[in-house]
Amino acid sequence: DWVRVGASVGGLAATIAAIHIYQNNSWWANSRSAFHVIEDGNYQADYDKCGHMFGAEYSSYVFDQAYRWAGMDTIQASVFGALSGAVWEYYVEIEDGFASGWGFSRGDAKSDIAGATFYLLSQRVPYLDNLRYKWFFTPTNKLLKDQPDITGQSVNAIEDYGGQTYYLAGLE
């Protein structure tokens, strides 16, 4: 059904564009620099890696659902969904590489790949389909009082790691 394919592609493109504009205005617009790599193992005690995994896992889910709705079979949709989720998150990490306050982090990129891989495996391996990667958020004073890690940036729920909880939930 080409109408569904067109609607899926258009919806995904609009969503990606909106998220890119938001991220650009929140993080990248005022801090462009030459591409550079950082190792941020001490940043937020590596807790941000959980966020990268969750982002890639959830992005993969969204792509998968759009592809299924457009008419792909479940195997195609889950494979292309995971690949699309990984590529999207990797793109964000490359953009971080051009931001003076951040940088391309190999650890973040590995977490992005791990999240997309977990999603794919949870769709294809029977035992793993009982596990769900979950996120819970309660704003901290850092967010409520707008106290960013990097001067000149704004604080948002994505960067408020102290308010985030990640866990694997098992289903019956």
Side-chain angles (χ1 to χ4, degrees), residues 23 29 58 79 107 120 142 168:
Q23 288 176 315
Y58 192 72
V79 169
L120 180 60
K142 177 181 173 178
L168 279 176

Side-chain angles (χ1 to χ4, degrees), residues 9-27:
V9 169
L12 288 171
T15 301
I16 288 168
I19 292 171
H20 170 78
I21 290 167
Y22 171 76
Q23 288 176 315
N24 186 58
N25 292 336
S26 295
W27 291 302

Side-chain angles (χ1 to χ4, degrees), residues 27-92:
W27 291 302
W28 305 316
N30 298 319
S31 66
R32 300 306 279 181
S33 69
F35 184 83
H36 60 285
V37 176
I38 62 166
E39 295 308 326
D40 62 349
N42 293 329
Y43 179 64
Q44 297 293 331
D46 259 350
Y47 202 66
D48 69 310
K49 306 308 181 256
C50 296
H52 282 269
M53 284 184 64
F54 181 80
E57 193 267 347
Y58 192 72
S59 295
S60 298
Y61 167 79
V62 169
F63 281 109
D64 179 353
Q65 293 302 300
Y67 296 150
R68 287 179 195 217
W69 186 79
M72 284 187 175
D73 66 44
T74 58
I75 294 172
Q76 291 172 324
S78 60
V79 169
F80 283 111
L83 287 171
S84 298
V87 167
W88 165 250
E89 295 295 328
Y90 206 77
Y91 159 75
V92 171

